């Protein structure tokens, strides 16, 4: 799964690397079928206590289905689902110590904000005084005190989102499931709320499983990210590992921007590899993550655009890790500019440059001949 | 691009409403005519209303109609809501096509057929005809109207609200009563009102299925009309129209006020931090 | 929902499906079978006025032997007497013409409503529905006072000098058309309005932007998009209109032939229940195709909505 070259990445909370740690939630070979359609395909996954876990993947890949199985709205067609080592497959949703925050918020329109937050507590027949205290606490946590008596339709989108959150954490569930909780918010509010969510998770010590479409959001909030495709897990790893050591072209492409260079392995050295491609003027030297790679294998080198150095001057060594081309397009994004460079073989390679100077002083322009170079350890060699 | 409504649209809507309302307005006006001839205005009078309240047969019939209406509308609302739940929530089940056919067909079935077939059923099983048979007949056709009204609300119902309730620990059965029912209640009330007025209104089916002692108001009016137009019928009609109009207008004003309040509150919420 | 958590629900779910199902089966479907059976029976001067009665108290065997007494005589009679065939044809004709009239009158009203300022629309819809809440019988009755020889319309027309001898409108088919159009107008306008209101006004702007003149836009954009409403409205008025009784009875004359009226007379005046039943069976057979169409359209609509 995750690239094992995790040396340079510093982490403090890594129970998944600790063989003695007990997983909190376990999917064991879970398959979910809707008729003939396989929405979740023989999936196994461990999630640890207090983890902030993200599910990321294209639309329809089965993220919501996975959450709904955890919440109890769908039963797995095959396989087992364990919570703290107990099989919960037969437990109906209203008896599971798991709460969900719905994408549509699903606030009860006929109840006030207080009523919504207290709903779950009332189901537990908690004493009235305790309910009031907890509701007040939740209102404070989510800064909703001024709106306690309002009905959901009298709130703005962001306020509704916070009510939904308050309602789902009021019962202090062991696991909180969040299905695209911030999808309906505008960008700025979403970024603020991401940090609020992280603080909340720390403060309450809960386990969060969050579904999101937004890769930046997943990178920001998560301890680990699972990238899904067609009901299968493609890679499960920390944000940095996913970004720096993607396990396949699919993951590399899905998270962030990436350049691929294809070729055949021409030599394997100690911890490194040489790749050649006839259409390329240079050979490629790279670190090798995959020990099984042999001479003659088809491989791809994935390099993030910010790791491609772009220059108007010809570098000293043009034989390895150096290509030249013509600036085809410049994407100005404010903080950075993306240069699209067309190589002699027709491929376009992207290079990102931080705009440290004002626009007028930028030296590289359209149709300039430029050189792109990169260090040995900048890219990842992928075999799939 | 905002234009006012075109002349053609204004004229067609105005003429349409004139056509719909003029006959009713004339009917109401002539209920206050002191003369017997409906076309000749002979001065204001309320004597036909006095005659109406002294007509015991008419009052008896009104009482029967009211009882049938209240009872049948209530039962039809319960059954119709169940039928709507079945249609919307129960995907495929054995006999579904037959079921939806039985729900939709009575909406358009000519009343003479429904009435005749129900009567023949009651005769075949030797069921004494009267109050109960009329009530059963009214339940049968109005439950379908309730089902359609409630169903159109249910299809737009966000089921994640029910899931949220269960997720928070509410058992399924209770969820229906504390979440689903309150939310679809306006549609259920509308369904009840529709069922009630359909029952008040029905002549044909009641005529077939009724028995001694259970003559309904429409039946009384019908037999009076057959004998000719009299201002007394206009008076009865005016009272019925007034009752229904007040009911419907009040109901719609209440929902309108709630809507306005909601919008005001939403504007407030938009301004809030 | 899913297998494990559905368990406690099973009973209540079954109950929810079963009760209305049973009710409709007993009081809507089963009666048709009885109608069919009685339409094959003989008239008798008794109570109930038909034979055989299938009295099971005399044993299954006796009931079975009575089965042989069933016959198609009533149907043979229906087809031999031109009154019935004429009634059916005339009912269909009146319903068809009324439906066409309703469409022609209802469409501009619905269109005008759908294009009216947004704030007015709920009020306009309520104004269309309101007469529908008031008694059907009363609304038909209102027209008697207007259309009769000494009625308000004639008085008015004579007073204006447009005519000098009163017109005979009541007790003719014209009065029946007026009555049907008047009573069924909300049923036509509401589905049309629903379809037209849903339509995005930017479609019209797009069409005119692409160079389509307004009248043509109506025919190539508006009308096709409102077709579901047209279909729903037409079925909703055509089917009940075929079997209409009150309107032809009160507004029509002795020459107005409609099958609802014939059935009523056969049943209440002639007390010929078997013949009335066979009239009903044939009427149902005529209507079954449009009813199935209507039901399919409804179901499709529902599936589209959900
Ligand atoms: N009740 C259902 N019946 C049939 N198919 C379903 C059902 N629920 C989900 N699916 C199918 O399962 C697949 C996965 O659905 P799911 O909702 O889990 O996707 P998702 O990853 O959450 O997508 P999105 O990002 O769009 O929310 C989809 O192809 C969907 O069509
Ligand atoms: Mg989803």
């Amino acid at each position: 799964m995750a690239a094992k070259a995790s040396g340079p990445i510093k982490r403090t909370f890594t129970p998944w690397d600790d063989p003695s740690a007990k997983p909190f939630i376990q999917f064991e070979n879970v398959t979910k079928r809707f008729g003939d359609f396989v929405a979740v395909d023989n999936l196994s996954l461990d999630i640890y206590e207090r983890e902030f876990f993200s599910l990321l993947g294209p639309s329809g890949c089965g993220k919501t289905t996975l959450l709904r199985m955890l919440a109890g709205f769908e039963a797995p067609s095959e396989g087992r689902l364990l919570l703290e080592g107990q099989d919960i497959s037969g437990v109906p949703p209203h008896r599971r110590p798991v709460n969900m925050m719905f994408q549509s918020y699903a606030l009860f329109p006929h109840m006030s904000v207080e009523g919504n937050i207290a709903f779950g507590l009332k189901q537990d027949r908690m004493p009235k005084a305790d309910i009031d205290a907890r509701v007040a606490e939740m209102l404070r946590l989510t800064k909703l005190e001024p709106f306690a008596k309002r009905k959901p339709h009298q709130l703005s989108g962001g306020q509704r989102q916070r009510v939904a959150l308050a309602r789902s954490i009021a019962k202090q569930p062991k696991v909180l499931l969040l299905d695209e909780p911030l999808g309906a918010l505008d960008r700025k509010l979403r970024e603020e709320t991401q940090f609020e969510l992280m603080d909340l998770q720390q403060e309450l010590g809960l386990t969060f499983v969050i579904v999101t479409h937004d890769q930046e959001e997943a990178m920001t909030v998560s301890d680990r990210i699972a990238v899904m495709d067609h009901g299968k897990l493609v890679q499960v790893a920390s944000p940095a590992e996913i970004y720096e050591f993607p396990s396949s072209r699919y993951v590399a492409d899905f998270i962030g921007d990436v350049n691929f260079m294809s070729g055949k392995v021409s030599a394997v050295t100690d911890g490194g590899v040489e790749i050649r491609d006839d259409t390329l003027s240079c050979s490629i030297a790279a670190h090798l993550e995959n020990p099984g790679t042999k001479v003659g294998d088809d491989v791809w080198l994935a390099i993030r655009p910010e790791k491609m150095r772009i220059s108007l001057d010809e570098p000293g060594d043009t034989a390895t890790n150096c290509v030249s081309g013509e600036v085809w397009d410049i994407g100005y994004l404010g903080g950075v500019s993306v240069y699209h460079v067309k190589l002699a073989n027709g491929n376009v390679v992207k290079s990102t440059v931080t705009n440290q100077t004002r626009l007028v002083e930028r030296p590289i322009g359209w149709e300039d001949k430029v050189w792109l170079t990169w260090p040995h350890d900048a890219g990842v060699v992928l075999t799939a | 691009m905002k234009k006012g409504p075109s002349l053609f649209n204004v004229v067609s809507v105005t003429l349409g409403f004139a056509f719909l309302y003029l006959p009713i307005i004339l009917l109401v006006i002539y209920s206050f005519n002191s003369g017997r001839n409906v076309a000749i205005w002979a001065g204001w009078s309320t004597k036909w209303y006095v005659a109406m309240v002294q007509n015991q047969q008419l009052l008896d019939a009104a009482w029967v109609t009211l009882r049938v209406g209240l009872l049948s509308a209530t039962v039809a609302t319960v059954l119709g809501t169940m039928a709507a739940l079945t249609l919307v929530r129960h995907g495929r089940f054995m006999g579904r096509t037959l079921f939806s056919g039985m729900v939709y067909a009575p909406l358009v079935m000519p009343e003479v057929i429904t009435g005749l077939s129900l009567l023949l059923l009651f005769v075949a099983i030797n069921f004494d005809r009267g109050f109960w048979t009329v009530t059963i007949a009214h339940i049968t056709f109005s439950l379908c109207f309730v089902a359609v009204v409630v169903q159109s609300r249910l299809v737009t119902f966000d089921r994640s609200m029910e899931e949220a309730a269960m997720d928070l620990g509410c058992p399924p059965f209770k969820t229906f009563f504390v979440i689903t029912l309150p939310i679809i209640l306006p549609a259920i009330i509308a369904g009840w009102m529709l069922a009630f007025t359909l029952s008040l209104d029905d002549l044909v089916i009641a005529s077939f299925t009724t028995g001694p002692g259970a003559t309904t108001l429409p039946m009384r009016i019908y037999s009076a009309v057959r004998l000719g137009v009299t201002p007394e019928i206009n008076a009865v009609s005016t009272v019925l129209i007034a009752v229904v109009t007040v009911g419907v207008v009040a109901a719609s004003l209440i929902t309108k006020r709630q809507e306005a309040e909601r919008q005001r509150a939403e504007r407030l919420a938009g301004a809030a931090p | 929902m899913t297998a494990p958590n559905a368990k406690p629900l099973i009973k209540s779910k079954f109950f929810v499906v079963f009760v209305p199902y049973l009710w409709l089966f007993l009081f809507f479907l089963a009666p048709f079978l009885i109608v069919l059976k009685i339409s094959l029976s003989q008239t008798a001067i008794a109570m109930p006025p038909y034979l055989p009665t299938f009295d099971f108290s005399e044993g299954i065997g006796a009931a079975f032997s009575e089965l042989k007494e069933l016959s198609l005589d009533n149907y043979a009679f229906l087809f031999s007497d031109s009154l019935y065939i004429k009634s059916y044809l005339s009912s269909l004709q009146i319903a068809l013409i009324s439906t066409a009239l309703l469409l022609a009158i209802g469409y501009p009203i619905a269109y005008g409503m759908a294009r009216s300022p947004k704030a007015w629309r709920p009020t306009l819809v309520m104004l269309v529905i309101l007469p529908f809440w008031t008694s059907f019988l009363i609304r038909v009755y209102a027209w008697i006072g207007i259309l009769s020889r000494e009625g308000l319309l004639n008085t008015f027309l004579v007073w204006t000098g447009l005519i000098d001898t009163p017109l005979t409108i009541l007790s003719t088919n014209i009065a029946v058309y007026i009555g049907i159009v008047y009573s069924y107008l909300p049923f036509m306008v509401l589905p049309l309005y629903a379809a037209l209101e849903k339509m995005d006004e930017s479609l019209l702007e797009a069409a005119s932007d692409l160079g389509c003149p307004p009248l043509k836009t109506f025919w190539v954009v508006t009308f096709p998009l409102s077709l579901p409403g047209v279909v729903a409205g037409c079925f909703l008025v055509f089917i009940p209109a075929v079997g209409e009784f009150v309107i032809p009875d009160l507004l029509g004359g002795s020459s107005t032939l409609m099958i609802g009226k014939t059935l009523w007379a056969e049943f209440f005046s002639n007390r010929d229940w078997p013949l009335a039943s066979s009239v009903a069976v044939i009427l149902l057979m005529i209507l079954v195709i449009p009813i199935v169409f209507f039901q399919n359209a409804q179901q499709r609509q529902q599936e589209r909505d959900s």
Side-chain angles (χ1 to χ4, degrees):
Chain A
M1 249 193 295
K4 32 152 210 29
S6 50
I9 297 161
K10 288 267 181 297
R11 273 190 307 243
T12 48
F13 176 71
T14 56
W16 48 90
D17 285 338
D18 174 5
S20 69
K22 280 220 172 59
F24 195 55
I25 302 164
Q26 287 168 281
F27 286 86
E28 284 186 353
N29 305 94
V30 171
T31 297
K32 176 68 191 177
R33 280 186 217 94
F34 293 109
D36 292 338
F37 181 80
V38 184
V40 173
D41 193 359
N42 193 20
L43 177 144
S44 295
L45 173 66
D46 292 346
I47 298 173
Y48 293 85
E49 192 160 11
R50 297 174 160 249
E51 196 178 350
F52 203 131
F53 192 90
S54 298
L55 290 167
L56 198 58
S59 189
C61 69
K63 307 179 295 284
T64 299
T65 309
L66 214 57
L67 280 203
R68 289 172 60 82
M69 283 195 282
L70 254 181
F73 300 126
E74 310 282 357
S77 313
E78 276 162 35
R80 292 202 308 162
L81 236 171
L82 298 109
L83 184 71
E84 291 184 297
Q86 301 283 313
D87 189 344
I88 53 166
S89 304
V91 182
H94 62 281
R95 300 226 180 81
R96 290 191 186 193
V98 169
N99 284 151
M100 180 144 164
M101 186 184 150
F102 288 78
Q103 185 172 7
S104 61
Y105 305 152
L107 298 179
F108 307 132
H110 56 304
M111 295 180 193
S112 66
V113 168
E114 280 180 332
N116 268 282
I117 298 175
F119 185 87
L121 305 170
K122 282 186 188 150
Q123 306 311 315
D124 288 350
R125 292 170 207 275
M126 205 188 237
K128 175 109 179 44
D130 294 3
I131 293 183
D132 292 347
R134 182 76 66 79
V135 170
E137 159 87 6
M138 288 301 135
L139 289 171
R140 189 187 57 74
L141 265 181
T142 49
K143 304 189 191 76
L144 283 168
E145 287 120 324
F147 313 111
K149 302 277 185 248
R150 292 225 187 139
K151 294 273 178 69
H153 62 253
Q154 300 169 327
L155 299 174
S156 71
Q159 292 158 356
R160 275 182 227 178
Q161 185 268 343
R162 299 216 294 278
V163 179
L165 184 64
R167 185 178 72 178
S168 53
I169 56 176
K171 292 187 81 169
Q172 300 193 331
K174 291 181 174 160
V175 183
L176 183 65
L177 310 173
L178 304 104
D179 193 353
E180 304 195 25
L182 312 180
L185 305 183
D186 64 53
R187 195 184 162 86
K188 201 152 161 45
L189 193 54
R190 194 159 62 207
E191 282 169 5
E192 277 170 34
T193 318
Q194 283 165 9
F195 288 103
E196 281 175 21
L197 268 186
M198 289 164 76
D199 292 346
L200 210 63
Q201 192 245 355
Q202 288 288 315
E203 195 171 332
L204 300 172
L206 305 179
T207 308
F208 275 28
V209 181
I210 184 171
V211 165
T212 172
H213 258 121
D214 181 343
Q215 39 142 320
E216 273 180 35
E217 183 171 300
M219 307 275 290
T220 310
V221 299
S222 330
D223 291 314
R224 278 193 304 162
I225 297 174
V227 181
M228 287 184 72
D229 185 31
H230 286 99
K232 283 186 156 71
L233 289 177
V234 188
Q235 186 173 8
V236 182
S238 70
E241 278 171 57
I242 292 252
Y243 189 76
E244 304 295 353
F245 303 98
S247 64
S248 64
R249 281 183 297 157
Y250 177 84
V251 176
D253 203 22
F254 194 79
I255 309 275
D257 225 348
V258 71
N259 295 306
F260 289 117
M261 295 191 184
S262 64
K264 272 192 197 315
V265 176
S266 58
V268 180
T269 59
D270 181 26
V273 64
E274 190 185 55
I275 304 166
R276 278 190 186 283
D277 178 38
D278 293 345
T279 66
L280 226 51
S281 59
C282 67
S283 71
I284 299 168
H287 276 205
L288 182 61
E289 258 73 57
N290 196 334
T293 311
K294 306 182 301 293
V295 173
D297 283 355
D298 283 314
V299 293
W300 290 269
L301 180 75
I303 312 180
R304 302 289 179 188
E306 71 275 9
K307 297 194 173 68
M308 282 277 189
R309 262 180 246 139
I310 187 165
S311 156
L312 287 167
D313 309 319
E314 185 172 345
D317 173 17
T318 57
T320 49
N321 293 4
C322 175
V323 290
S324 69
E326 187 178 294
V327 175
W328 192 249
D329 213 343
I330 304 175
Y332 174 68
L333 304 177
V336 295
S337 290
V338 183
Y339 292 89
H340 295 243
V341 178
K342 192 163 192 177
L343 305 183
N345 65 4
N347 290 353
V348 173
V349 174
K350 283 178 273 185
S351 167
T352 312
V353 174
T354 313
N355 292 329
Q356 285 172 330
T357 57
R358 300 280 288 276
L359 193 60
V360 276
E361 301 152 35
R362 204 69 40 70
I364 303 171
W366 273 269
E367 292 175 24
D368 284 351
K369 182 172 167 103
V370 291
W371 299 88
L372 294 167
T373 55
W374 63 95
H376 290 187
D377 57 359
V380 189
V381 178
L382 301 172
T383 50
Chain B
M1 241 359 258
K2 263 276 152 288
K3 292 170 292 184
S6 72
L7 184 67
F8 175 76
N9 290 345
V10 173
V11 169
S12 55
V13 171
T14 313
L15 285 181
F17 283 119
F19 176 60
L20 278 178
Y21 281 92
L22 214 54
I24 298 177
I25 292 168
L26 289 173
L27 176 103
V28 171
I29 292 173
Y30 276 84
S31 72
F32 295 101
N33 190 359
S34 63
R36 181 159 262 285
N37 190 317
V38 281
I40 300 161
W41 184 255
W44 286 94
S45 153
T46 50
K47 70 178 184 192
W48 301 111
Y49 288 87
V50 177
M52 175 186 78
V53 295
Q54 286 168 350
N55 185 336
Q56 191 56 43
Q57 280 188 328
L58 216 53
L59 295 181
D60 289 345
W63 178 230
V64 170
T65 304
L66 191 66
R67 273 160 44 218
V68 170
L70 290 175
L71 184 59
S72 69
T74 307
V75 179
T77 303
V78 174
L79 292 176
T81 304
M82 287 165 129
L85 281 167
T86 304
L87 284 175
V88 178
R89 296 285 174 86
H90 291 264
R92 306 254 152 252
F93 61 92
M94 232 181 58
R96 187 196 157 89
T97 314
L98 176 67
F99 185 71
S100 72
M102 290 196 300
V103 173
Y104 292 124
L107 301 182
V108 288
M109 188 61 70
E111 293 168 323
V112 283
I113 296 184
T114 313
L116 176 73
S117 64
L118 273 166
L119 166 71
L120 295 180
L121 170 79
F122 294 135
V123 170
I125 60 174
N126 225 337
F127 196 95
D128 277 341
R129 277 167 288 145
F131 175 81
W132 287 107
T133 47
V134 178
T135 307
I136 289 174
H138 283 188
I139 291 168
T140 307
F141 74 82
S142 41
L143 96 80
C144 304
F145 285 86
V146 176
V148 169
V149 172
V150 175
Q151 177 201 303
S152 65
R153 174 67 189 87
L154 273 178
V155 292
T156 59
F157 182 89
D158 180 7
R159 290 204 77 178
S160 62
M161 272 180 304
E162 290 173 353
E163 290 179 344
M166 285 190 252
D167 188 60
L168 294 165
C170 193
F173 196 67
K174 189 175 166 198
T175 298
F176 179 78
F177 286 96
V178 299
I179 303 294
T180 317
L181 202 58
I183 295 175
I184 63 169
L185 197 63
I188 294 181
I189 292 173
W192 187 92
M193 282 176 64
L194 182 60
F196 182 69
T197 41
L198 284 170
S199 171
L200 285 195
D201 202 15
D202 168 63
L203 164 71
V204 175
I205 293 173
S207 299
F208 274 102
T209 52
T210 193
T215 306
T216 64
L217 194 56
M219 290 165 67
R220 275 271 172 261
I221 295 175
Y222 173 73
S223 50
V225 171
R226 300 229 59 180
L227 297 176
V229 174
T230 74
E232 193 181 337
I233 304 172
N234 287 32
V236 178
S237 309
T238 302
V239 170
L240 277 178
I241 291 168
V243 168
V244 170
T245 308
V246 168
V248 173
V249 171
S252 82
L253 282 185
I254 289 169
T255 53
K256 215 173 182 175
R257 222 184 60 195
Q258 282 173 343
E259 180 72 14
E261 248 165 45
R262 215 190 79 186
Q263 279 173 0
R264 212 196 56 208
E266 260 165 36
R267 246 176 286 125
L268 269 181
Chain C
M1 217 163 285
T2 47
N5 53 42
K7 256 216 171 110
L9 264 180
I10 281 204
K11 259 192 201 129
S12 58
K13 255 177 149 174
F14 177 74
F15 184 75
V16 164
V17 177
F18 184 72
V19 172
Y21 206 127
L22 183 71
W23 184 284
L24 286 172
F25 190 85
L26 280 183
F27 296 114
F28 183 72
L29 200 62
F32 287 132
L33 301 177
I34 297 177
V35 172
L36 186 65
K37 180 243 146 187
I38 290 174
S39 73
L40 300 169
S41 310
Q42 310 295 319
T43 316
I45 303 175
M47 191 62 217
Y50 54 83
L51 277 173
T53 51
F54 289 111
D55 192 346
F56 288 101
S57 58
E58 289 162 35
I60 296 288
F64 192 74
S65 71
E66 284 181 334
L67 206 60
K68 288 196 282 274
E69 291 174 40
L70 296 179
S71 75
L72 287 169
D73 288 357
N74 293 312
Y75 293 95
F77 181 70
L78 276 190
F79 287 110
S80 65
D81 192 331
S82 67
L83 168 76
Y84 299 103
I85 294 173
K86 274 190 195 147
S87 296
Y88 284 118
L89 291 178
S90 150
S91 293
L92 287 173
Q93 186 192 1
I94 290 175
L96 213 56
I97 294 174
S98 309
T99 305
L101 287 172
L102 275 160
L103 190 59
I105 295 171
Y107 205 104
I109 299 176
Y111 188 85
M113 284 168 62
R115 294 282 160 272
S116 67
K118 248 209 163 78
W120 299 4
R121 288 184 204 165
T123 314
L124 292 178
V125 170
M126 203 191 80
L127 283 175
V128 173
I129 299 175
L130 196 58
F132 162 75
W133 290 94
T134 58
S135 169
F136 178 69
L137 183 60
I138 290 172
R139 281 178 294 143
V140 175
Y141 164 75
W143 281 99
I144 301 180
I146 296 171
L147 297 179
S148 66
R149 260 187 94 78
E150 314 81 42
L152 292 164
L153 184 64
N154 276 321
T155 316
F156 177 74
L157 290 177
V158 170
W159 176 76
T160 56
L162 280 172
I163 54 168
D164 25 65
T165 46
L167 301 170
T168 308
I169 306 176
L170 192 67
S171 307
T172 66
N173 281 1
I174 294 175
V176 175
Y177 289 129
I178 293 175
I180 294 180
V181 168
Y182 180 70
S183 314
Y184 286 64
L185 196 57
F187 291 103
M188 182 58 96
V189 171
L190 288 177
L192 286 174
Y193 169 78
L196 285 169
E197 208 251 355
K198 244 192 300 196
M199 204 179 73
D200 191 348
E201 209 154 336
S202 62
L203 288 178
L204 302 184
E205 294 174 357
S208 84
D209 183 58
L210 296 168
C212 191
L215 208 63
K216 192 166 173 213
T217 303
F218 176 82
W219 282 115
V220 299
V221 179
T222 312
F223 190 73
L225 283 174
S226 68
L227 267 181
V230 172
V231 170
C234 288
F235 279 127
L236 224 46
V237 302
F238 175 78
I239 303 168
V242 173
E244 186 52 60
F245 162 73
V246 177
I247 295 171
D249 187 60
L250 293 181
L251 300 180
S254 50
S255 65
T256 306
L257 279 179
M258 277 195 85
I259 198 65
K261 219 175 122 187
T262 311
L263 191 156
W264 181 283
E266 217 51 76
F267 186 86
F268 286 104
S269 315
N270 303 347
R271 292 190 62 76
D272 192 338
W273 291 16
L275 194 63
S277 300
S278 48
V279 170
V281 169
I282 300 280
L283 175 57
L284 199 60
M285 276 155 67
I286 293 173
L287 292 182
V288 87
I289 292 168
I291 288 176
V292 168
F293 256 111
F294 169 76
Q295 189 229 317
N296 278 343
Q298 285 284 308
Q299 210 166 353
R300 250 183 319 191
Q301 180 70 40
Q302 189 222 319
E303 270 154 26
R304 223 173 311 135
D305 286 348
S306 55

